[in-house]
Amino acid sequence: NFMLTQPHSVSESPGRTVTISCTRSSGNIVNNYVQWYQQRPGSAPTTVIYQDHQRPSGVPDRFSGSIDSSSNSASLTISGLKIEDEAAYYCQSYDSSNVIFGGGTRLTVL
Amino acid sequence: QITLKESGPTLVQPTQTLTLTCTFSGFSLNIPGVGVGWIRQPPGEALEWLALIYGDDDKRYKSSLRGRLTITKDTSKNQVVLKMTNMNPVDTGTYFCAYKTMAVSEVRFDPWGQGTLVTVSS
């Protein structure tokens, strides 16, 4: 099984840009789509990015996703940070047998 | 509109078997590619995928829990059931079911149920 490693926490000021990384331990990250979920306390996760870089309807274009094959990682970038973006963010991918979530990154906007 | 809702006991004793039911609407679980997954989250910790069942009845389990998990579906009732045997206090957490989108080439969960908190304690 592979793992997805995320930073435990990040913090940034309102209006700034933050990038959260998600590194796949084995297997090529480009072979299976990466999703990003936002989870606010007490709520179920919701999708902010799917298929590496696609945004669901209703998710602002301040959210973007990308893949870097050289580092075997995915990234979630949030620009123009708002207080309401404060949440936990999880990356998720899969292979033929397993579904894997990253350990989550707590974003603090202060 | 797709909705899912989890139901089951809030308290389970150690060594008992947990049975959770996911009741869904807005889709049919007999279409290839469509699926329902179970994901759990210990208090204050990360999400952990447990199991996935597809419309063709194909099943996937988290390898480290394979011997303890059973996932089944009842398409006539629009329900998916997860059983986990030999429950332990470390299994305490919120259990979510979620819709696996239809695209065969991806595994993505959207939307999710609200989750149900299960506590394992004597």
Side-chain angles (χ1 to χ4, degrees), chain A residues 1 33 35 37 39 44-45 47 50-51 90 92 94 96-97 99 101 103, chain B residues 39 41 45-47 49 60-61 63 96 105-110 112-113:
Chain A
N1 295 352
Y33 288 126
Q35 279 64 239
Y37 301 92
Q39 186 181 32
T47 307
Y50 68 100
Q51 291 183 3
Y90 294 90
Q92 173 257 311
Y94 52 93
S96 60
S97 302
V99 179
F101 286 90
Chain B
I39 302 101
Q41 185 172 39
E45 297 187 23
L47 301 169
W49 170 74
R60 296 285 185 267
Y61 297 102
S63 54
F96 298 96
S105 61
E106 70 173 5
V107 177
R108 171 166 69 104
F109 297 113
D110 189 5
W112 298 50

PDB file of all heavy atoms in Angstrom, chain A residues 1 33 35 37 39 44-45 47 50-51 90 92 94 96-97 99 101 103, chain B residues 39 41 45-47 49 60-61 63 96 105-110 112-113:
ATOM      1  N   ASN A   1       0.838  -1.201   0.000  1.00  0.00           N
ATOM      2  CA  ASN A   1       0.000   0.000   0.000  1.00  0.00           C
ATOM      3  C   ASN A   1       0.869   1.244   0.000  1.00  0.00           C
ATOM      4  O   ASN A   1       1.923   1.276   0.612  1.00  0.00           O
ATOM      5  CB  ASN A   1      -0.891   0.035   1.240  1.00  0.00           C
ATOM      6  CG  ASN A   1      -1.894  -1.100   1.256  1.00  0.00           C
ATOM      7  OD1 ASN A   1      -2.026  -1.832   0.281  1.00  0.00           O
ATOM      8  ND2 ASN A   1      -2.609  -1.227   2.356  1.00  0.00           N
ATOM      9  N   TYR A  33      -6.154   9.538 -10.179  1.00  0.00           N
ATOM     10  CA  TYR A  33      -6.564  10.888  -9.830  1.00  0.00           C
ATOM     11  C   TYR A  33      -6.429  11.172  -8.341  1.00  0.00           C
ATOM     12  O   TYR A  33      -6.608  10.283  -7.498  1.00  0.00           O
ATOM     13  CB  TYR A  33      -8.016  11.123 -10.234  1.00  0.00           C
ATOM     14  CG  TYR A  33      -8.244  11.238 -11.721  1.00  0.00           C
ATOM     15  CD1 TYR A  33      -9.177  10.427 -12.364  1.00  0.00           C
ATOM     16  CD2 TYR A  33      -7.556  12.175 -12.492  1.00  0.00           C
ATOM     17  CE1 TYR A  33      -9.412  10.535 -13.718  1.00  0.00           C
ATOM     18  CE2 TYR A  33      -7.784  12.282 -13.853  1.00  0.00           C
ATOM     19  CZ  TYR A  33      -8.709  11.466 -14.452  1.00  0.00           C
ATOM     20  OH  TYR A  33      -8.932  11.574 -15.798  1.00  0.00           O
ATOM     21  N   GLN A  35      -7.956  13.643  -5.280  1.00  0.00           N
ATOM     22  CA  GLN A  35      -9.049  14.511  -4.853  1.00  0.00           C
ATOM     23  C   GLN A  35      -8.611  15.277  -3.597  1.00  0.00           C
ATOM     24  O   GLN A  35      -7.732  14.821  -2.848  1.00  0.00           O
ATOM     25  CB  GLN A  35     -10.277  13.663  -4.485  1.00  0.00           C
ATOM     26  CG  GLN A  35     -11.107  13.210  -5.653  1.00  0.00           C
ATOM     27  CD  GLN A  35     -10.338  12.271  -6.579  1.00  0.00           C
ATOM     28  OE1 GLN A  35     -10.177  12.578  -7.756  1.00  0.00           O
ATOM     29  NE2 GLN A  35      -9.890  11.131  -6.060  1.00  0.00           N
ATOM     30  N   TYR A  37     -10.460  17.219  -0.199  1.00  0.00           N
ATOM     31  CA  TYR A  37     -11.677  17.444   0.547  1.00  0.00           C
ATOM     32  C   TYR A  37     -11.429  18.487   1.625  1.00  0.00           C
ATOM     33  O   TYR A  37     -10.361  18.524   2.245  1.00  0.00           O
ATOM     34  CB  TYR A  37     -12.162  16.151   1.230  1.00  0.00           C
ATOM     35  CG  TYR A  37     -12.426  15.012   0.276  1.00  0.00           C
ATOM     36  CD1 TYR A  37     -11.425  14.081  -0.024  1.00  0.00           C
ATOM     37  CD2 TYR A  37     -13.665  14.844  -0.336  1.00  0.00           C
ATOM     38  CE1 TYR A  37     -11.659  13.029  -0.889  1.00  0.00           C
ATOM     39  CE2 TYR A  37     -13.903  13.792  -1.211  1.00  0.00           C
ATOM     40  CZ  TYR A  37     -12.886  12.891  -1.480  1.00  0.00           C
ATOM     41  OH  TYR A  37     -13.125  11.855  -2.354  1.00  0.00           O
ATOM     42  N   GLN A  39     -12.912  19.791   5.275  1.00  0.00           N
ATOM     43  CA  GLN A  39     -13.755  19.359   6.381  1.00  0.00           C
ATOM     44  C   GLN A  39     -13.719  20.399   7.500  1.00  0.00           C
ATOM     45  O   GLN A  39     -12.668  20.637   8.101  1.00  0.00           O
ATOM     46  CB  GLN A  39     -13.326  18.001   6.934  1.00  0.00           C
ATOM     47  CG  GLN A  39     -14.287  17.468   7.994  1.00  0.00           C
ATOM     48  CD  GLN A  39     -13.860  16.134   8.574  1.00  0.00           C
ATOM     49  OE1 GLN A  39     -12.679  15.831   8.698  1.00  0.00           O
ATOM     50  NE2 GLN A  39     -14.834  15.309   8.954  1.00  0.00           N
ATOM     51  N   ALA A  44     -19.255  16.735   7.642  1.00  0.00           N
ATOM     52  CA  ALA A  44     -18.679  15.762   6.726  1.00  0.00           C
ATOM     53  C   ALA A  44     -17.794  16.469   5.703  1.00  0.00           C
ATOM     54  O   ALA A  44     -17.979  17.656   5.423  1.00  0.00           O
ATOM     55  CB  ALA A  44     -19.793  15.003   6.008  1.00  0.00           C
ATOM     56  N   PRO A  45     -16.827  15.766   5.153  1.00  0.00           N
ATOM     57  CA  PRO A  45     -15.983  16.358   4.112  1.00  0.00           C
ATOM     58  C   PRO A  45     -16.782  16.694   2.858  1.00  0.00           C
ATOM     59  O   PRO A  45     -17.777  16.035   2.540  1.00  0.00           O
ATOM     60  CB  PRO A  45     -14.968  15.246   3.820  1.00  0.00           C
ATOM     61  CG  PRO A  45     -14.953  14.396   5.049  1.00  0.00           C
ATOM     62  CD  PRO A  45     -16.358  14.428   5.546  1.00  0.00           C
ATOM     63  N   THR A  47     -15.948  17.992  -1.383  1.00  0.00           N
ATOM     64  CA  THR A  47     -14.906  18.044  -2.402  1.00  0.00           C
ATOM     65  C   THR A  47     -14.618  19.476  -2.805  1.00  0.00           C
ATOM     66  O   THR A  47     -15.534  20.235  -3.119  1.00  0.00           O
ATOM     67  CB  THR A  47     -15.338  17.251  -3.653  1.00  0.00           C
ATOM     68  OG1 THR A  47     -15.734  15.928  -3.271  1.00  0.00           O
ATOM     69  CG2 THR A  47     -14.189  17.160  -4.654  1.00  0.00           C
ATOM     70  N   TYR A  50     -11.280  17.685  -7.672  1.00  0.00           N
ATOM     71  CA  TYR A  50     -11.313  16.288  -8.071  1.00  0.00           C
ATOM     72  C   TYR A  50     -10.565  16.121  -9.387  1.00  0.00           C
ATOM     73  O   TYR A  50     -10.290  17.099 -10.087  1.00  0.00           O
ATOM     74  CB  TYR A  50     -12.755  15.776  -8.170  1.00  0.00           C
ATOM     75  CG  TYR A  50     -13.571  16.371  -9.297  1.00  0.00           C
ATOM     76  CD1 TYR A  50     -13.756  15.680 -10.489  1.00  0.00           C
ATOM     77  CD2 TYR A  50     -14.174  17.622  -9.165  1.00  0.00           C
ATOM     78  CE1 TYR A  50     -14.503  16.209 -11.520  1.00  0.00           C
ATOM     79  CE2 TYR A  50     -14.925  18.164 -10.187  1.00  0.00           C
ATOM     80  CZ  TYR A  50     -15.090  17.457 -11.365  1.00  0.00           C
ATOM     81  OH  TYR A  50     -15.836  17.987 -12.388  1.00  0.00           O
ATOM     82  N   GLN A  51     -10.233  14.888  -9.692  1.00  0.00           N
ATOM     83  CA  GLN A  51      -9.457  14.598 -10.910  1.00  0.00           C
ATOM     84  C   GLN A  51      -8.257  15.543 -11.035  1.00  0.00           C
ATOM     85  O   GLN A  51      -8.049  16.168 -12.076  1.00  0.00           O
ATOM     86  CB  GLN A  51     -10.353  14.672 -12.142  1.00  0.00           C
ATOM     87  CG  GLN A  51     -11.364  13.544 -12.194  1.00  0.00           C
ATOM     88  CD  GLN A  51     -12.221  13.557 -13.460  1.00  0.00           C
ATOM     89  OE1 GLN A  51     -12.035  14.389 -14.360  1.00  0.00           O
ATOM     90  NE2 GLN A  51     -13.170  12.637 -13.530  1.00  0.00           N
ATOM     91  N   TYR A  90      -7.934  17.284   3.202  1.00  0.00           N
ATOM     92  CA  TYR A  90      -7.423  15.930   3.001  1.00  0.00           C
ATOM     93  C   TYR A  90      -7.264  15.650   1.508  1.00  0.00           C
ATOM     94  O   TYR A  90      -8.186  15.888   0.727  1.00  0.00           O
ATOM     95  CB  TYR A  90      -8.390  14.887   3.580  1.00  0.00           C
ATOM     96  CG  TYR A  90      -8.532  14.941   5.085  1.00  0.00           C
ATOM     97  CD1 TYR A  90      -9.496  15.736   5.692  1.00  0.00           C
ATOM     98  CD2 TYR A  90      -7.698  14.178   5.897  1.00  0.00           C
ATOM     99  CE1 TYR A  90      -9.624  15.785   7.073  1.00  0.00           C
ATOM    100  CE2 TYR A  90      -7.814  14.216   7.285  1.00  0.00           C
ATOM    101  CZ  TYR A  90      -8.778  15.030   7.853  1.00  0.00           C
ATOM    102  OH  TYR A  90      -8.899  15.067   9.231  1.00  0.00           O
ATOM    103  N   GLN A  92      -6.753  12.573  -1.333  1.00  0.00           N
ATOM    104  CA  GLN A  92      -7.196  11.184  -1.434  1.00  0.00           C
ATOM    105  C   GLN A  92      -6.872  10.663  -2.826  1.00  0.00           C
ATOM    106  O   GLN A  92      -7.064  11.368  -3.819  1.00  0.00           O
ATOM    107  CB  GLN A  92      -8.700  11.082  -1.165  1.00  0.00           C
ATOM    108  CG  GLN A  92      -9.310   9.695  -1.399  1.00  0.00           C
ATOM    109  CD  GLN A  92     -10.079   9.609  -2.703  1.00  0.00           C
ATOM    110  OE1 GLN A  92     -10.917  10.469  -3.018  1.00  0.00           O
ATOM    111  NE2 GLN A  92      -9.823   8.573  -3.488  1.00  0.00           N
ATOM    112  N   TYR A  94      -5.998   6.485  -4.948  1.00  0.00           N
ATOM    113  CA  TYR A  94      -6.390   5.085  -4.927  1.00  0.00           C
ATOM    114  C   TYR A  94      -5.469   4.304  -5.862  1.00  0.00           C
ATOM    115  O   TYR A  94      -4.685   4.878  -6.618  1.00  0.00           O
ATOM    116  CB  TYR A  94      -7.846   4.941  -5.387  1.00  0.00           C
ATOM    117  CG  TYR A  94      -8.087   5.637  -6.718  1.00  0.00           C
ATOM    118  CD1 TYR A  94      -7.986   4.945  -7.929  1.00  0.00           C
ATOM    119  CD2 TYR A  94      -8.375   6.996  -6.763  1.00  0.00           C
ATOM    120  CE1 TYR A  94      -8.160   5.588  -9.128  1.00  0.00           C
ATOM    121  CE2 TYR A  94      -8.559   7.641  -7.974  1.00  0.00           C
ATOM    122  CZ  TYR A  94      -8.447   6.943  -9.149  1.00  0.00           C
ATOM    123  OH  TYR A  94      -8.611   7.596 -10.350  1.00  0.00           O
ATOM    124  N   SER A  96      -5.650  -0.091  -7.596  1.00  0.00           N
ATOM    125  CA  SER A  96      -6.636  -1.109  -7.975  1.00  0.00           C
ATOM    126  C   SER A  96      -7.324  -1.748  -6.774  1.00  0.00           C
ATOM    127  O   SER A  96      -8.407  -2.320  -6.901  1.00  0.00           O
ATOM    128  CB  SER A  96      -5.969  -2.189  -8.823  1.00  0.00           C
ATOM    129  OG  SER A  96      -4.917  -2.797  -8.081  1.00  0.00           O
ATOM    130  N   SER A  97      -6.694  -1.673  -5.622  1.00  0.00           N
ATOM    131  CA  SER A  97      -7.244  -2.375  -4.455  1.00  0.00           C
ATOM    132  C   SER A  97      -7.572  -1.474  -3.277  1.00  0.00           C
ATOM    133  O   SER A  97      -8.339  -1.880  -2.405  1.00  0.00           O
ATOM    134  CB  SER A  97      -6.248  -3.433  -3.965  1.00  0.00           C
ATOM    135  OG  SER A  97      -5.937  -4.344  -4.978  1.00  0.00           O
ATOM    136  N   VAL A  99      -8.091   2.532  -1.291  1.00  0.00           N
ATOM    137  CA  VAL A  99      -8.372   3.960  -1.290  1.00  0.00           C
ATOM    138  C   VAL A  99      -7.576   4.546  -0.117  1.00  0.00           C
ATOM    139  O   VAL A  99      -7.655   4.033   0.996  1.00  0.00           O
ATOM    140  CB  VAL A  99      -9.870   4.245  -1.105  1.00  0.00           C
ATOM    141  CG1 VAL A  99     -10.117   5.739  -1.094  1.00  0.00           C
ATOM    142  CG2 VAL A  99     -10.686   3.559  -2.202  1.00  0.00           C
ATOM    143  N   PHE A 101      -6.345   8.017   2.082  1.00  0.00           N
ATOM    144  CA  PHE A 101      -6.442   9.423   2.450  1.00  0.00           C
ATOM    145  C   PHE A 101      -5.124   9.874   3.054  1.00  0.00           C
ATOM    146  O   PHE A 101      -4.452   9.110   3.758  1.00  0.00           O
ATOM    147  CB  PHE A 101      -7.555   9.642   3.493  1.00  0.00           C
ATOM    148  CG  PHE A 101      -8.950   9.562   2.944  1.00  0.00           C
ATOM    149  CD1 PHE A 101      -9.629   8.343   2.918  1.00  0.00           C
ATOM    150  CD2 PHE A 101      -9.595  10.682   2.456  1.00  0.00           C
ATOM    151  CE1 PHE A 101     -10.913   8.253   2.411  1.00  0.00           C
ATOM    152  CE2 PHE A 101     -10.892  10.611   1.952  1.00  0.00           C
ATOM    153  CZ  PHE A 101     -11.546   9.396   1.924  1.00  0.00           C
ATOM    154  N   GLY A 103      -3.021  12.321   5.727  1.00  0.00           N
ATOM    155  CA  GLY A 103      -3.231  12.539   7.146  1.00  0.00           C
ATOM    156  C   GLY A 103      -3.941  13.835   7.499  1.00  0.00           C
ATOM    157  O   GLY A 103      -4.264  14.063   8.672  1.00  0.00           O
TER     158      GLY A 103
ATOM    159  N   ILE B  39     -16.030   5.224   5.411  1.00  0.00           N
ATOM    160  CA  ILE B  39     -14.825   5.914   5.876  1.00  0.00           C
ATOM    161  C   ILE B  39     -15.053   6.253   7.345  1.00  0.00           C
ATOM    162  O   ILE B  39     -16.147   6.653   7.729  1.00  0.00           O
ATOM    163  CB  ILE B  39     -14.599   7.222   5.071  1.00  0.00           C
ATOM    164  CG1 ILE B  39     -14.490   6.931   3.572  1.00  0.00           C
ATOM    165  CG2 ILE B  39     -13.373   7.943   5.580  1.00  0.00           C
ATOM    166  CD1 ILE B  39     -15.747   7.207   2.782  1.00  0.00           C
ATOM    167  N   GLN B  41     -13.403   8.130  11.141  1.00  0.00           N
ATOM    168  CA  GLN B  41     -12.539   9.192  11.633  1.00  0.00           C
ATOM    169  C   GLN B  41     -12.529   9.176  13.153  1.00  0.00           C
ATOM    170  O   GLN B  41     -13.504   9.596  13.782  1.00  0.00           O
ATOM    171  CB  GLN B  41     -13.029  10.550  11.116  1.00  0.00           C
ATOM    172  CG  GLN B  41     -12.131  11.708  11.466  1.00  0.00           C
ATOM    173  CD  GLN B  41     -12.565  12.974  10.768  1.00  0.00           C
ATOM    174  OE1 GLN B  41     -13.754  13.258  10.623  1.00  0.00           O
ATOM    175  NE2 GLN B  41     -11.600  13.767  10.332  1.00  0.00           N
ATOM    176  N   GLU B  45      -8.727  12.938  14.658  1.00  0.00           N
ATOM    177  CA  GLU B  45      -7.741  12.310  13.773  1.00  0.00           C
ATOM    178  C   GLU B  45      -8.183  12.358  12.313  1.00  0.00           C
ATOM    179  O   GLU B  45      -9.178  12.987  11.958  1.00  0.00           O
ATOM    180  CB  GLU B  45      -7.477  10.875  14.232  1.00  0.00           C
ATOM    181  CG  GLU B  45      -6.868  10.801  15.628  1.00  0.00           C
ATOM    182  CD  GLU B  45      -6.466   9.389  16.005  1.00  0.00           C
ATOM    183  OE1 GLU B  45      -6.237   8.558  15.103  1.00  0.00           O
ATOM    184  OE2 GLU B  45      -6.391   9.121  17.221  1.00  0.00           O
ATOM    185  N   ALA B  46      -7.417  11.661  11.480  1.00  0.00           N
ATOM    186  CA  ALA B  46      -7.616  11.737  10.036  1.00  0.00           C
ATOM    187  C   ALA B  46      -8.700  10.769   9.563  1.00  0.00           C
ATOM    188  O   ALA B  46      -9.108   9.837  10.266  1.00  0.00           O
ATOM    189  CB  ALA B  46      -6.301  11.433   9.321  1.00  0.00           C
ATOM    190  N   LEU B  47      -9.124  10.981   8.335  1.00  0.00           N
ATOM    191  CA  LEU B  47     -10.051  10.077   7.674  1.00  0.00           C
ATOM    192  C   LEU B  47      -9.338   8.769   7.327  1.00  0.00           C
ATOM    193  O   LEU B  47      -8.160   8.762   6.955  1.00  0.00           O
ATOM    194  CB  LEU B  47     -10.571  10.716   6.386  1.00  0.00           C
ATOM    195  CG  LEU B  47     -11.313  12.045   6.540  1.00  0.00           C
ATOM    196  CD1 LEU B  47     -11.527  12.690   5.174  1.00  0.00           C
ATOM    197  CD2 LEU B  47     -12.647  11.835   7.249  1.00  0.00           C
ATOM    198  N   TRP B  49     -10.222   5.227   5.070  1.00  0.00           N
ATOM    199  CA  TRP B  49     -11.127   4.429   4.251  1.00  0.00           C
ATOM    200  C   TRP B  49     -11.191   3.000   4.786  1.00  0.00           C
ATOM    201  O   TRP B  49     -10.170   2.423   5.173  1.00  0.00           O
ATOM    202  CB  TRP B  49     -10.645   4.417   2.810  1.00  0.00           C
ATOM    203  CG  TRP B  49     -11.374   3.437   1.960  1.00  0.00           C
ATOM    204  CD1 TRP B  49     -12.651   3.549   1.477  1.00  0.00           C
ATOM    205  CD2 TRP B  49     -10.890   2.181   1.485  1.00  0.00           C
ATOM    206  NE1 TRP B  49     -12.976   2.436   0.738  1.00  0.00           N
ATOM    207  CE2 TRP B  49     -11.922   1.582   0.723  1.00  0.00           C
ATOM    208  CE3 TRP B  49      -9.683   1.489   1.637  1.00  0.00           C
ATOM    209  CZ2 TRP B  49     -11.775   0.339   0.111  1.00  0.00           C
ATOM    210  CZ3 TRP B  49      -9.540   0.260   1.026  1.00  0.00           C
ATOM    211  CH2 TRP B  49     -10.569  -0.307   0.274  1.00  0.00           C
ATOM    212  N   ARG B  60     -14.158  -4.040  -2.087  1.00  0.00           N
ATOM    213  CA  ARG B  60     -12.786  -3.735  -1.719  1.00  0.00           C
ATOM    214  C   ARG B  60     -12.743  -3.433  -0.230  1.00  0.00           C
ATOM    215  O   ARG B  60     -13.647  -2.784   0.288  1.00  0.00           O
ATOM    216  CB  ARG B  60     -12.262  -2.523  -2.499  1.00  0.00           C
ATOM    217  CG  ARG B  60     -12.178  -2.736  -4.002  1.00  0.00           C
ATOM    218  CD  ARG B  60     -11.002  -3.612  -4.368  1.00  0.00           C
ATOM    219  NE  ARG B  60     -10.824  -3.727  -5.810  1.00  0.00           N
ATOM    220  CZ  ARG B  60     -11.344  -4.685  -6.554  1.00  0.00           C
ATOM    221  NH1 ARG B  60     -12.082  -5.621  -5.987  1.00  0.00           N
ATOM    222  NH2 ARG B  60     -11.131  -4.700  -7.862  1.00  0.00           N
ATOM    223  N   TYR B  61     -11.674  -3.877   0.417  1.00  0.00           N
ATOM    224  CA  TYR B  61     -11.500  -3.653   1.851  1.00  0.00           C
ATOM    225  C   TYR B  61     -10.109  -3.112   2.149  1.00  0.00           C
ATOM    226  O   TYR B  61      -9.135  -3.459   1.464  1.00  0.00           O
ATOM    227  CB  TYR B  61     -11.681  -4.959   2.633  1.00  0.00           C
ATOM    228  CG  TYR B  61     -13.050  -5.581   2.539  1.00  0.00           C
ATOM    229  CD1 TYR B  61     -13.287  -6.669   1.701  1.00  0.00           C
ATOM    230  CD2 TYR B  61     -14.102  -5.084   3.293  1.00  0.00           C
ATOM    231  CE1 TYR B  61     -14.542  -7.252   1.620  1.00  0.00           C
ATOM    232  CE2 TYR B  61     -15.369  -5.661   3.219  1.00  0.00           C
ATOM    233  CZ  TYR B  61     -15.576  -6.740   2.376  1.00  0.00           C
ATOM    234  OH  TYR B  61     -16.825  -7.312   2.305  1.00  0.00           O
ATOM    235  N   SER B  63      -6.774  -3.308   3.581  1.00  0.00           N
ATOM    236  CA  SER B  63      -6.067  -4.582   3.737  1.00  0.00           C
ATOM    237  C   SER B  63      -5.829  -4.944   5.196  1.00  0.00           C
ATOM    238  O   SER B  63      -5.962  -6.105   5.589  1.00  0.00           O
ATOM    239  CB  SER B  63      -4.749  -4.550   2.974  1.00  0.00           C
ATOM    240  OG  SER B  63      -3.973  -3.434   3.366  1.00  0.00           O
ATOM    241  N   PHE B  96     -18.606   7.355   8.400  1.00  0.00           N
ATOM    242  CA  PHE B  96     -19.303   7.981   7.279  1.00  0.00           C
ATOM    243  C   PHE B  96     -19.525   6.960   6.164  1.00  0.00           C
ATOM    244  O   PHE B  96     -18.650   6.130   5.897  1.00  0.00           O
ATOM    245  CB  PHE B  96     -18.466   9.111   6.666  1.00  0.00           C
ATOM    246  CG  PHE B  96     -18.155  10.266   7.559  1.00  0.00           C
ATOM    247  CD1 PHE B  96     -16.943  10.312   8.253  1.00  0.00           C
ATOM    248  CD2 PHE B  96     -19.028  11.330   7.686  1.00  0.00           C
ATOM    249  CE1 PHE B  96     -16.628  11.402   9.057  1.00  0.00           C
ATOM    250  CE2 PHE B  96     -18.730  12.419   8.491  1.00  0.00           C
ATOM    251  CZ  PHE B  96     -17.525  12.449   9.181  1.00  0.00           C
ATOM    252  N   SER B 105     -13.129   5.400 -14.096  1.00  0.00           N
ATOM    253  CA  SER B 105     -11.698   5.681 -14.029  1.00  0.00           C
ATOM    254  C   SER B 105     -11.276   6.390 -12.761  1.00  0.00           C
ATOM    255  O   SER B 105     -10.102   6.713 -12.607  1.00  0.00           O
ATOM    256  CB  SER B 105     -11.303   6.538 -15.227  1.00  0.00           C
ATOM    257  OG  SER B 105     -12.004   7.765 -15.192  1.00  0.00           O
ATOM    258  N   GLU B 106     -12.204   6.658 -11.844  1.00  0.00           N
ATOM    259  CA  GLU B 106     -11.812   7.361 -10.629  1.00  0.00           C
ATOM    260  C   GLU B 106     -12.502   6.766  -9.411  1.00  0.00           C
ATOM    261  O   GLU B 106     -13.541   6.120  -9.520  1.00  0.00           O
ATOM    262  CB  GLU B 106     -12.153   8.848 -10.728  1.00  0.00           C
ATOM    263  CG  GLU B 106     -13.635   9.148 -10.690  1.00  0.00           C
ATOM    264  CD  GLU B 106     -13.929  10.639 -10.613  1.00  0.00           C
ATOM    265  OE1 GLU B 106     -13.005  11.453 -10.678  1.00  0.00           O
ATOM    266  OE2 GLU B 106     -15.116  10.981 -10.472  1.00  0.00           O
ATOM    267  N   VAL B 107     -11.880   7.006  -8.252  1.00  0.00           N
ATOM    268  CA  VAL B 107     -12.524   6.705  -6.979  1.00  0.00           C
ATOM    269  C   VAL B 107     -12.605   8.018  -6.222  1.00  0.00           C
ATOM    270  O   VAL B 107     -11.596   8.530  -5.736  1.00  0.00           O
ATOM    271  CB  VAL B 107     -11.745   5.655  -6.161  1.00  0.00           C
ATOM    272  CG1 VAL B 107     -12.448   5.440  -4.818  1.00  0.00           C
ATOM    273  CG2 VAL B 107     -11.656   4.344  -6.926  1.00  0.00           C
ATOM    274  N   ARG B 108     -13.782   8.541  -6.163  1.00  0.00           N
ATOM    275  CA  ARG B 108     -14.037   9.830  -5.510  1.00  0.00           C
ATOM    276  C   ARG B 108     -15.348   9.710  -4.763  1.00  0.00           C
ATOM    277  O   ARG B 108     -16.304   9.114  -5.266  1.00  0.00           O
ATOM    278  CB  ARG B 108     -14.134  10.937  -6.558  1.00  0.00           C
ATOM    279  CG  ARG B 108     -14.614  12.265  -6.018  1.00  0.00           C
ATOM    280  CD  ARG B 108     -14.356  13.358  -7.029  1.00  0.00           C
ATOM    281  NE  ARG B 108     -15.180  13.276  -8.214  1.00  0.00           N
ATOM    282  CZ  ARG B 108     -16.239  14.070  -8.437  1.00  0.00           C
ATOM    283  NH1 ARG B 108     -16.612  14.929  -7.526  1.00  0.00           N
ATOM    284  NH2 ARG B 108     -16.898  13.989  -9.572  1.00  0.00           N
ATOM    285  N   PHE B 109     -15.386  10.277  -3.559  1.00  0.00           N
ATOM    286  CA  PHE B 109     -16.568  10.175  -2.714  1.00  0.00           C
ATOM    287  C   PHE B 109     -17.242  11.540  -2.629  1.00  0.00           C
ATOM    288  O   PHE B 109     -16.682  12.498  -2.100  1.00  0.00           O
ATOM    289  CB  PHE B 109     -16.196   9.680  -1.313  1.00  0.00           C
ATOM    290  CG  PHE B 109     -15.600   8.299  -1.307  1.00  0.00           C
ATOM    291  CD1 PHE B 109     -14.281   8.107  -0.958  1.00  0.00           C
ATOM    292  CD2 PHE B 109     -16.366   7.201  -1.668  1.00  0.00           C
ATOM    293  CE1 PHE B 109     -13.731   6.825  -0.948  1.00  0.00           C
ATOM    294  CE2 PHE B 109     -15.825   5.918  -1.663  1.00  0.00           C
ATOM    295  CZ  PHE B 109     -14.508   5.735  -1.302  1.00  0.00           C
ATOM    296  N   ASP B 110     -18.465  11.612  -3.138  1.00  0.00           N
ATOM    297  CA  ASP B 110     -19.198  12.867  -3.129  1.00  0.00           C
ATOM    298  C   ASP B 110     -20.623  12.628  -3.592  1.00  0.00           C
ATOM    299  O   ASP B 110     -20.827  12.222  -4.741  1.00  0.00           O
ATOM    300  CB  ASP B 110     -18.515  13.858  -4.075  1.00  0.00           C
ATOM    301  CG  ASP B 110     -19.079  15.263  -3.973  1.00  0.00           C
ATOM    302  OD1 ASP B 110     -19.937  15.513  -3.107  1.00  0.00           O
ATOM    303  OD2 ASP B 110     -18.654  16.120  -4.767  1.00  0.00           O
ATOM    304  N   TRP B 112     -21.192  12.844   0.947  1.00  0.00           N
ATOM    305  CA  TRP B 112     -21.043  12.013   2.127  1.00  0.00           C
ATOM    306  C   TRP B 112     -22.299  12.109   2.989  1.00  0.00           C
ATOM    307  O   TRP B 112     -23.025  13.094   2.926  1.00  0.00           O
ATOM    308  CB  TRP B 112     -19.851  12.485   2.972  1.00  0.00           C
ATOM    309  CG  TRP B 112     -18.517  12.401   2.294  1.00  0.00           C
ATOM    310  CD1 TRP B 112     -18.174  12.860   1.055  1.00  0.00           C
ATOM    311  CD2 TRP B 112     -17.326  11.855   2.845  1.00  0.00           C
ATOM    312  NE1 TRP B 112     -16.844  12.629   0.801  1.00  0.00           N
ATOM    313  CE2 TRP B 112     -16.297  12.008   1.889  1.00  0.00           C
ATOM    314  CE3 TRP B 112     -17.002  11.253   4.064  1.00  0.00           C
ATOM    315  CZ2 TRP B 112     -14.980  11.577   2.107  1.00  0.00           C
ATOM    316  CZ3 TRP B 112     -15.697  10.826   4.294  1.00  0.00           C
ATOM    317  CH2 TRP B 112     -14.704  10.991   3.314  1.00  0.00           C
ATOM    318  N   GLY B 113     -22.507  11.079   3.804  1.00  0.00           N
ATOM    319  CA  GLY B 113     -23.519  11.179   4.828  1.00  0.00           C
ATOM    320  C   GLY B 113     -23.016  12.081   5.954  1.00  0.00           C
ATOM    321  O   GLY B 113     -21.864  12.497   5.968  1.00  0.00           O
TER     322      GLY B 113
END
